[in-house]
Amino acid sequence: MVILRAFLPALLFTSACATPLPGNFQALRFPTADPKELLCQLPILKKIICPRSGNGSLYVWTPLGLALGTSDDSGARRFVVKYASASRWAPSTVASTWDLPTGAVNQTSLPLACPQPGVDSSAYTEDCLSMIIYVPPGLTLYSNAPTLMWIHGGSFIVGSSTGPGLDGSKLAVATNSIVAVVQYRLGADIINALKFLNKVSPAFGGSNSKITVAGQSSGANMIRALLAVPSASSLFKSAILQSDPMNYGFLAPATQQTLQNSFNTLIGCDSTDTTCLDNLSLDAIISAQMTLFNTAASLDPSTGAAEPIRPVRDGTLITSPLDSSAAFPSVSKPILVTTVLNEAGFAIYGQFPNPLPSAYFEPMCDATFGANRTTIIVDSPYYPATPGPDGGDPDARSQLQLVGTDYLWKCSGWTFARNWVQNGGTAYVGEYQLGASYAGNNAVSYCTEEGVVCHQDDIEIIFGTVSNPTTAQAALIAEMQQRYKAFISTGNPNVAGLSTWNAATTSDVNALPFGGTDPVVVGACDPSFWGHDVQYDYQIDCILEAKSKWFDLYERIKVPLYGDFRSDL
């Protein structure tokens, strides 16, 4: 339930994942069974007669019961399941039986989302801890195929396993792997999803020693948190982080408590008043969550404005910040770290739809970074004003887009990769120079321009769900799916016939361009600039006093340039 991210951010990770109490068992309903499928349970026969392929069975015996599935045109089979259960405000417990998601009429139904803003109440449920498992044809119980578990993004307040482009069928077929797309309320739910997959994946032909976690944006942020949880380390072997805004570190417990106190005030319930809390309507909870989301930076500047509700480093479960603010732990897992060419494009050009005079670049940087960091940024050679079309006045939006992409995503991701390698891990870094415009990105005309790749435009490339792809997009889809197939199988994304993807070193991340021929520009991502001369937000105690500065600045410039005031600035 997404709403819990506002009420209990500290529970974004919790070790209180107790074994469910016995009871409430339902009689298992057996469909008409193929005798061959029953014989598959005999070890001496199952390797010979149990392929999960072509016109094979759509039901699979798992340790938790009988899984019923459905097929699609790609040849993959889809299974929907409730992987855990939880009451409102409570930690989740891993499922002990195989059950369809809440609200599912049969195995063809898709899960309802977790409660969230902007979604009709008929499309979500509080009992929302479900996943969709996609199984390629041809797997047998002895295939030991890898599993990729995808964690959706959405700033920890929106998103679901049925989001645009997240149909895992084509990805499963192309990589010959099991693809599980999960939805969640909290980080502890993700840990339980991994425990569930470890238990059931062998029944579908997978190996529970070959599970890779992958995600985009806040989904990648969640994976970074998982990498900082020693107790979860045995549940997966490798990780893929796409467009993780790594400038944002984990929240401190004191910050979480500030947000908690504000939320309690907004809902009018004391944290110990269970009657009041349980009687709240979902509308009231979601409304309070969004108020908190939009005001968090004014309560504690360290939250930032774009992703203020996020994992909390409690020192017990999440034991390291995994950034440059403290000693980096010893690591060993292989990881992929990727960004897109214009990560900040949607945010900058969405907030400022008309050209912005170059004179506003410095005050806007000051409103974001403060005077000291702004002086270094403005005086550097990395963000020059460039003439507009036909030699016109420079548009500050292009400078702001580049700064935003560098510090929130690209350079902070490169810093993370260098730290990862320095402390024993293997990292491969890449940049998408071609993408496919994601649902909603066409609302910002900049994101539809030739050569622009905005945040989320990598998702449908990976899943192979681009509608009517161009020749170049089709080639990139094939390349990335081949690389993912290699990586989730071996921990190395290199494939014969494709450009060599060199692993990052402590001095050179060897970033590989995807879908383009131009080398990835290092620019301000040189180790001497971002993270050194100019610190990331997580490296300093007080950032962005400045939400008020943004508002004041916006009030000065909006009259000649814009329409209505945007409260989400």
Side-chain angles (χ1 to χ4, degrees), residues 211-515:
I211 295 178
T212 296
V213 289
Q216 187 269 348
S217 195
S218 59
N221 187 326
M222 183 70 81
I223 292 169
R224 177 159 43 100
L226 280 173
L227 291 169
V229 178
S231 60
S233 183
S234 64
L235 298 175
F236 62 103
K237 79 175 187 73
S238 55
I240 300 172
L241 300 90
Q242 298 178 205
S243 298
D244 180 357
M246 292 195 187
N247 169 76
Y248 294 134
F250 306 136
L251 294 181
T255 300
Q256 180 274 324
Q257 189 60 56
T258 297
L259 300 183
Q260 178 74 67
N261 293 341
S262 176
F263 185 77
N264 290 344
T265 299
L266 289 168
I267 60 175
C269 293
D270 185 85
S271 60
T272 60
D273 189 345
T274 56
T275 300
C276 178
L277 293 169
D278 290 341
N279 286 333
L280 288 168
S281 69
L282 284 176
D283 284 345
I285 295 170
I286 294 173
S287 175
Q289 174 194 253
M290 294 313 299
T291 299
L292 179 66
F293 186 92
N294 290 322
T295 59
S298 66
L299 300 172
D300 186 328
S302 70
T303 62
E307 200 175 82
I309 300 170
R310 58 184 187 270
V312 178
R313 177 166 63 94
D314 63 347
T316 301
L317 194 69
I318 296 182
T319 58
S320 167
L322 279 189
D323 59 34
S324 302
S325 66
F328 209 91
S330 176
V331 296
S332 61
K333 296 183 189 296
I335 63 172
L336 304 184
V337 178
T338 64
T339 55
V340 303
L341 187 62
N342 311 103
E343 292 279 9
F346 184 90
I348 296 299
Y349 286 80
Q351 290 182 14
F352 303 106
N354 298 312
L356 194 63
S358 59
Y360 285 107
F361 176 64
E362 183 169 351
M364 286 188 169
C365 284
D366 182 63
T368 302
F369 303 110
N372 292 335
R373 290 194 290 176
T374 293
T375 297
I376 301 172
I377 291 169
V378 172
D379 290 345
S380 78
Y382 299 119
Y383 305 107
T386 56
D390 302 319
D393 186 50
D395 185 348
R397 294 179 301 174
S398 64
Q399 295 168 276
L400 293 169
Q401 190 283 133
L402 184 55
V403 172
T405 293
D406 280 356
Y407 105 100
L408 278 175
W409 288 279
K410 179 180 175 180
C411 299
S412 50
W414 288 22
T415 298
F416 177 81
R418 286 190 290 263
N419 284 336
W420 191 262
V421 171
Q422 185 172 4
N423 289 276
T426 304
Y428 297 88
V429 176
E431 178 184 83
Y432 286 84
Q433 297 181 355
L434 175 68
S437 189
Y438 193 69
N441 277 2
N442 59 2
V444 175
S445 61
Y446 172 80
C447 291
T448 66
E449 293 178 9
E450 185 74 23
V452 171
V453 189
C454 285
H455 192 65
Q456 298 183 300
D457 285 353
D458 52 340
I459 293 175
E460 293 186 348
I461 295 293
I462 294 301
F463 277 82
T465 49
V466 181
S467 177
N468 299 315
T470 64
T471 300
Q473 287 173 329
L476 182 58
I477 290 169
E479 174 185 344
M480 297 313 300
Q481 290 183 340
Q482 288 181 68
R483 292 192 183 279
Y484 273 40
K485 178 179 181 179
F487 181 75
I488 64 179
S489 298
T490 68
N492 187 321
N494 283 290
V495 179
L498 296 178
S499 299
T500 301
W501 191 352
N502 293 313
T505 69
T506 56
S507 59
D508 187 348
V509 299
N510 293 312
L512 187 68
F514 302 138

Side-chain angles (χ1 to χ4, degrees), residues 165-248:
L166 298 186
D167 184 328
S169 300
K170 293 180 180 179
L171 181 60
V173 172
T175 58
N176 198 39
S177 68
I178 297 167
V179 174
V181 183
V182 302
Q183 55 190 39
Y184 56 97
R185 311 163 309 159
L186 310 165
D189 299 334
I190 293 297
I191 292 177
N192 280 340
L194 282 167
K195 290 178 178 178
F196 182 87
L197 275 179
N198 271 264
K199 188 174 295 185
V200 304
S201 62
F204 294 92
S207 168
N208 54 16
S209 65
K210 297 180 183 177
I211 295 178
T212 296
V213 289
Q216 187 269 348
S217 195
S218 59
N221 187 326
M222 183 70 81
I223 292 169
R224 177 159 43 100
L226 280 173
L227 291 169
V229 178
S231 60
S233 183
S234 64
L235 298 175
F236 62 103
K237 79 175 187 73
S238 55
I240 300 172
L241 300 90
Q242 298 178 205
S243 298
D244 180 357
M246 292 195 187
N247 169 76
Y248 294 134

